Amino acid sequence: METIRTAAWMKQKARAARQEQKIIGLVPTMGALHAGHMALVGRAKHECSPVYASIFLNPKQFAANEDLSRYPRPLEADVEKLRSAKVDGLFLPDAAEIYPAGFSTYVQVDGLSERLEGRSRAGHFRGVSTVVLKLFEIVQPNFAYFGRKDAQQVRIVQQMARDLNLDIEIVVCPIVREADGLALSSRNTYLSAEDRKAATVLYRALRAAETEIASGVRDALYLQGTMQKVLHSEPKARVDYAEIVDAETFEPVVRISRRYYAVLAVYIGKTRLIDNMLIEPVGDDLRTEV
Ligand code: AMP
């Protein structure tokens, strides 16, 4: 597996692959790879050749008070995982390569970027959409793979792709979880043993809402109340938000009938975790997927 550190070289490789009519797959990550990331890689390997993964800890999507400096960076282990998965190339630029002196252009997806995660993390999605567009320009993928774990992020990327006429298929992959339901996340390494136990409360809250939906509840406020109740039963949990939102607009809803997400952001101690459940209609019924 080749490691590519410059945008110019990555572009040249991509251009050559495109000229040979190859189907390029891209899996963008911030590193500290786990089975969630590797599921995206697996899907990409199934559908594309060559497959490029990128590892770039994007400073522009971290607010000043966030965890950029202590974010885990186990680069050697990451490289080994990608090599074992037979990824064709790792795009590993440093910050100066992506944001050279004088960098001053940003992508802002209005509306969607201001709600929920955007409200709690000022500037976060502007940083995400900017870096994702740059990665798309540099790697020139036909397919790009994202996890539903970050449902609002992938919705924003889809909106950007649509608004800017990008010729890239955005593929959304299911959430990979631990045996006890905790969604895999690079940030789970911050959790103490006790926090780790408490962290399952996000999954338990989603499952409680799921059970109520299965028994016929359609009132979004009632379902939010259920999730809040479960979350508040865990003394280590501090809720940032627990809402049912429209899957297109991420606006709050009253009655569930179309495609929705139940979305959670919860602090366990000092660690902020997010999770979600997809709710979608099938015929006259609703299907849920945590
Ligand atoms: P990150 O390194 O956190 O930026 O994540 C890179 C990609 O992996 C994003 O598209 C995430 O949504 C996806 N991802 C992270 N955790 C999971 C998970 N538990 N299951 C599925 N995809 C995930």
Side-chain angles (χ1 to χ4, degrees):
M1 182 183 73
E2 186 180 3
T3 298
I4 300 148
R5 291 177 186 270
T6 67
W9 183 232
M10 185 64 244
K11 271 196 155 200
Q12 194 163 318
K13 307 265 315 171
R15 209 175 296 127
R18 285 286 205 147
Q19 263 160 15
E20 292 171 38
Q21 314 296 325
K22 290 192 173 156
I23 305 293
I24 303 177
L26 170 65
V27 181
T29 81
M30 298 201 301
L33 302 180
H34 51 61
H37 298 115
M38 299 318 291
L40 308 188
V41 168
R43 175 87 182 263
K45 282 293 294 178
H46 205 70
E47 297 172 348
C48 307
S49 175
V51 169
Y52 289 100
S54 60
I55 296 182
F56 180 61
L57 199 45
N58 177 27
K60 296 207 187 280
Q61 70 188 71
F62 287 78
N65 62 333
E66 291 183 343
D67 57 347
L68 175 62
S69 61
R70 71 180 193 120
Y71 200 87
R73 300 163 201 236
L75 182 59
E76 260 178 51
D78 286 352
V79 168
E80 202 35 57
K81 283 176 191 163
L82 295 174
R83 189 175 290 134
S84 304
K86 303 206 156 44
V87 165
D88 299 277
L90 166 61
F91 181 47
L92 184 68
D94 65 15
E97 181 68 17
I98 296 296
Y99 304 115
F103 182 88
S104 58
T105 304
Y106 293 86
V107 182
Q108 166 78 22
V109 177
D110 282 348
L112 274 169
S113 297
E114 280 118 50
R115 296 190 258 285
L116 300 168
E117 283 301 281
R119 192 177 341 126
S120 299
R121 306 183 64 191
H124 171 65
F125 284 126
R126 181 174 101 135
V128 169
S129 36
T130 300
V131 82
V132 169
L133 182 60
K134 283 182 64 90
L135 290 169
F136 285 176
E137 285 299 309
I138 295 166
V139 184
Q140 299 168 48
N142 302 82
F143 293 82
Y145 295 82
F146 292 85
R148 202 197 81 214
K149 163 82 183 353
D150 300 276
Q152 192 177 1
Q153 164 175 284
V154 71
R155 175 69 192 92
I156 285 169
V157 170
Q158 284 171 325
Q159 186 69 40
M160 174 180 78
R162 190 187 304 169
D163 289 348
L164 300 182
N165 305 89
L166 305 185
D167 229 348
I168 301 172
E169 178 91 17
I170 308 300
V171 182
V172 188
C173 302
I175 301 176
V176 178
R177 298 178 180 280
E178 302 277 7
D180 63 5
L182 178 66
L184 293 185
S185 163
S186 307
R187 290 189 169 91
N188 291 352
T189 55
Y190 300 152
L191 299 167
S192 67
E194 229 173 274
D195 288 349
R196 172 64 188 78
K197 267 187 228 153
T200 59
V201 75
L202 284 84
Y203 179 68
R204 287 185 273 125
L206 294 173
R207 290 300 299 262
E210 182 172 50
T211 304
E212 286 190 337
I213 291 170
S215 72
V217 176
R218 296 292 179 264
D219 179 334
L221 276 181
Y222 186 88
L223 292 166
Q224 277 168 212
T226 298
M227 295 195 294
Q228 290 277 4
K229 226 179 290 161
V230 175
L231 293 169
H232 284 128
S233 73
E234 171 49 64
K236 282 176 153 279
R238 184 164 59 82
V239 182
D240 182 354
Y241 59 75
E243 293 187 30
I244 312 273
V245 296
D246 186 288
E248 286 290 300
T249 62
F250 280 76
E251 298 267 26
V253 297
V254 179
R255 236 189 111 68
I256 54 175
S257 56
R258 292 201 307 272
R259 209 160 169 273
Y260 297 107
Y261 285 113
V263 284
L264 305 180
V266 179
Y267 286 91
I268 303 291
K270 286 197 172 117
T271 307
R272 187 171 181 280
L273 300 176
I274 59 170
D275 202 347
N276 69 79
M277 169 172 72
L278 174 65
I279 307 164
E280 58 185 357
V282 274
D284 291 337
D285 214 354
L286 288 176
R287 189 184 80 91
T288 51
E289 186 182 316
V290 289

